Amino acid sequence: MARRPLPRILERGSASITRSREIARTAADGATDVLHPLITVTRGLRLLAGAGRQKWAATPKDRRGHVLFLVAACVLVVALIPYGPLLGLISVMGAAAWRGRDRTPAKTGPDEDGTARLQALYEALVPHFSAADDPGPLFSHGGDWEKAFGTSYAFDGNGRLTRLQVQYPAYFTDGDPASRARVEQVLHAKSGRGREYHFTWDEENNHLLMTVLAALPTTIAAQRFVTAPGETVLGFTDTDAVPRTIPVEDGDGMRDASPVIWRTGARSTEPHLLIAGHPGSGCTTLMRSLALQALQYGDVLVVEGGGTGEYGFLTGRDGVLAVECGLAGALATLEWAAHETERRLIAANRARQAGHPEPEDIKRPLWILLDRPSTLGHLAAADGRQDPQELLRIPLRHGRAAGVAVVVADQFDSLDSLTETVWTHTRARAVLGPADREQVEAVLGTQPHTTPTPDVPPGRGYARLGTGPVMRLQVPATPDPYDEATTEAHRLAVLGLLPGGAPVVEQAAPEAATPEAAAAPVSVHTDQLIGAPAVAEG
C-alpha cells in the first residue's frame, strides 16, 4: 500500500503553530483593550441586575405592588419628557460603567515582615532621636514608625531594605560627626550587614536618606584610557559621583564608566599622591597602573622598598629610567631625582627671564614611584645612612613647577614612619582594602559617607583629591605579567601597554663576562642618572 504524504503543516514542524499562537494571543490582547469599555458596562449591568433581584427578593410581598406602580410611573415620566429615553439610557449606562469598574485595591505599604523590620529599626533609633522634655516626640518607644519613615522606603526581593528616608527632629545634632556615625551604625546593623550603604544628610530639611550601593565592577582591566596629557585614571567610581564618563573595555564589550581623574602638572592643586592599604589590598596594582599610564607621556623612576620584584616587567623599557630595589640604588636614584628637579627649575627660570620658551628636555613629565619607603627607612637607620624620604623634600615641594609627580605607597602599620613633608604635600589620597572609618579618616582627612565592608576585592577602596568629596574607588586590574597566577588575558593587556625596548633579562650578556660579574646585581640606568648634570647650562 502506498504511503500517503504527510500534511504540509506537519512537514514544516511546529514553527507555524507557534507563530499562529503568538498572532492569536496578540489579537486577543488587542481585542481586550478595544472592548474594555463594553466589558466594563456589561459587568456593571450584570451587577445592577443582581442588586435589583436581591432588592426585589428582600421586599415583602404586600409591598411589591406599590414598588411596581412606582417603577412604572417613573418609566412613564421618562418616556413622556423630551429626550427622556436618551437621558435614561445614558444614566443607566453611566451607572453600569461606574458599578462595573475595576475596584481591586492597589497593594500599598510593606508586608508583615517589612512592617516588622521598619518597626524594629524605628525602636532602635529612639535613643538617638528622642529627648525627655520633648512634648511631641517624633521618636518614642512603642510609637508609630510611619511618622518618621512615611512611604519613602523600598525593599529588594529578599525583603531587605534598599532605600529609606528618615525624618528626624530638629534638635538632633546632625552637625556632629560622632552623632552621625552612631545613627549610621544603627541603620547599617539593622538593615543588613555585608552591603555598602550611602548616607545623605539634608540638614536644612532634617532628612536622612539611606541607599544601598551596587558593587563596583572588577572586570575592567588595564588599557589605554581616553584622557588628556596630565590626566591619570586612578580607578572608577559611582555614576553620580563624577560628571564625566569615558569608554572602556569591560570584558568582551565596550561601555561608559565614571573615572576618578587625578590631574598633575603646573596647574594641578594636588600634584602628588599618597596610597595606603593592607597587604594584598591592591596598592601595588594601582602603582603599576599609574606607571603604565605615565609612560605614555613621561619618564618613570620606580623605587621598591619591599624587594618583591613586582615591577620587574618595567626594567629596560623606553621611558623607565630606573627600577631600584636595594637601599644604595634607591638613595642614588632619589638623589638624582632631587638634582633633576633643581635643574628643571633653574632651566625654566632662565628661559622665562630671557623670554624664551621652556627647553624641550624639561617638558617631559617625570614620575617618581616610591613603594614601601618605611622599609627603606628602617634599613637606612640600621646602616646609619640618610632616610630616602628626606631626598623627596625637593621633588615634593617644587615638583609641580618642575613637572615632577611623586607617588608614595605604604601600609597602614607603617604610616607613622612617613615624614611630615610627605603628609603635607601629598594632597591626593587613596585608601585600598578593608579599613574601618577611623583608618579612612586618618588618611583622607574625613570619614566617607558610606559604610566600609569587611570583605572587598583587591583594588577596592576610597579616593579623595584635595578637599573634595570622598569617592568610592575600584582600581583597574593591572597584575604583574610575569606572575604565574596572572591570567593570559591580563598578561597580554599589561604587556600591550608597555613601550618599546627589551627587558634587561632578555638582553644577551657579553661573552667575555665572567660568572661572578654576571651574578652580581646591576642597577638599571643608575650610572646614567647620577652622571647627568644637575645644573642647567647656558
Side-chain angles (χ1 to χ4, degrees), residues 196-507:
E196 193 166 3
Y197 297 87
H198 182 269
F199 299 96
T200 303
W201 291 84
D202 186 1
E203 301 178 4
E204 184 177 357
N205 297 316
N206 299 326
H207 286 165
L208 168 61
L209 179 60
M210 180 192 72
T211 54
V212 177
L213 297 175
L216 294 176
T218 59
T219 55
I220 302 178
Q223 55 191 281
R224 191 68 68 196
F225 300 112
V226 182
T227 56
E231 292 183 347
T232 306
V233 176
L234 297 181
F236 297 91
T237 184
D238 300 300
T239 305
D240 55 351
V242 292
R244 175 180 173 181
T245 60
I246 59 175
V248 297
E249 295 182 5
D250 190 356
D252 297 334
M254 296 287 297
R255 70 178 185 90
D256 291 338
S258 301
V260 179
I261 299 294
W262 173 41
R263 294 175 175 84
T264 58
R267 300 183 183 276
S268 173
T269 57
E270 302 89 20
H272 309 298
L273 174 66
L274 174 62
I275 307 171
H278 292 289
S281 60
C283 295
T284 305
T285 299
L286 179 54
M287 296 282 278
R288 282 193 292 260
S289 177
L290 296 177
L292 293 176
Q293 297 181 62
L295 288 175
Q296 186 178 4
Y297 302 106
D299 299 326
V300 174
L301 290 175
V302 180
V303 177
E304 181 188 1
T308 57
E310 297 284 346
Y311 306 92
F313 68 99
L314 296 173
T315 304
R317 301 289 180 175
D318 292 344
V320 180
L321 302 181
V323 177
E324 293 294 343
C325 299
L327 177 60
L331 292 175
T333 301
L334 294 178
E335 183 180 0
W336 177 88
H339 292 318
E340 175 65 12
T341 304
E342 295 177 346
R343 187 190 71 84
R344 293 187 175 211
L345 289 174
I346 295 173
N349 186 29
R350 289 179 177 178
R352 282 191 293 266
Q353 291 180 355
H356 300 297
E358 294 183 353
E360 293 295 332
D361 59 343
I362 67 172
K363 288 185 177 180
R364 188 171 174 85
L366 174 62
W367 288 69
I368 304 174
L369 306 182
L370 181 56
D371 194 357
R372 297 298 306 275
S374 58
T375 303
L376 294 176
H378 292 318
L379 294 177
D383 199 19
R385 307 183 70 173
Q386 185 180 12
D387 190 345
Q389 296 185 57
E390 297 297 330
L391 298 173
L392 290 177
R393 188 185 305 272
I394 295 177
L396 286 172
R397 289 183 176 179
H398 308 287
R400 184 179 65 171
V404 178
V406 180
V407 181
V408 179
D410 217 324
Q411 298 179 4
F412 278 114
D413 54 0
S414 303
L415 292 180
D416 54 352
S417 63
L418 297 180
T419 61
E420 186 67 25
T421 305
V422 174
W423 282 105
T424 302
H425 294 280
T426 52
R427 292 174 46 84
R429 305 284 178 85
V431 175
L432 301 180
D436 54 27
R437 300 174 69 91
E438 289 73 17
Q439 290 177 327
V440 175
E441 184 181 8
V443 178
L444 303 184
T446 183
Q447 293 187 358
H449 295 289
T450 61
T451 55
T453 55
D455 298 326
V456 294
R460 174 69 174 82
Y462 298 92
R464 188 188 188 196
L465 304 178
T467 58
V470 179
M471 297 176 289
R472 295 203 302 166
L473 179 69
Q474 178 62 51
V475 178
T478 315
D480 183 6
Y482 296 161
D483 190 357
E484 296 180 355
T486 303
T487 61
E488 185 65 17
H490 287 169
R491 187 182 71 84
L492 295 178
V494 174
L495 294 178
L497 298 177
L498 290 173
V504 171
V505 295
E506 299 177 1
Q507 295 177 358

Side-chain angles (χ1 to χ4, degrees), residues 11-161:
E11 293 179 355
R12 295 182 179 179
S14 61
S16 59
I17 299 177
T18 304
R19 191 181 306 109
S20 301
R21 289 178 179 176
E22 293 179 355
I23 294 175
R25 189 180 296 108
T26 304
D29 295 340
T32 303
D33 295 337
V34 173
L35 299 178
H36 185 265
L38 181 60
I39 295 174
T40 302
V41 173
T42 303
R43 186 191 304 117
L45 290 175
R46 179 170 53 82
L47 295 176
L48 289 176
R53 287 195 301 268
Q54 294 178 0
K55 189 69 176 178
W56 178 259
T59 303
K61 294 183 178 180
D62 56 344
R63 295 183 182 180
R64 291 182 179 181
H66 302 287
V67 174
L68 288 176
F69 177 77
L70 181 61
V71 171
C74 292
V75 171
L76 180 62
V77 172
V78 171
L80 295 177
I81 63 176
Y83 304 103
L86 180 60
L87 294 176
L89 180 63
I90 293 175
S91 300
V92 173
M93 293 296 103
W98 177 259
R99 188 64 182 273
R101 75 189 189 278
D102 187 10
R103 292 179 293 180
T104 303
K107 183 180 179 181
T108 58
D111 53 9
E112 295 182 0
D113 294 338
T115 302
R117 284 178 176 270
L118 292 176
Q119 185 64 33
L121 188 58
Y122 175 84
E123 295 291 342
L125 292 175
V126 169
H128 304 278
F129 289 146
S130 62
D133 54 350
D134 189 356
L138 186 61
F139 285 82
S140 60
H141 291 288
D144 187 8
W145 59 266
E146 294 185 356
K147 297 189 302 180
F149 301 155
T151 59
S152 300
Y153 51 82
F155 295 88
D156 58 7
N158 299 325
R160 306 174 71 185
L161 276 171

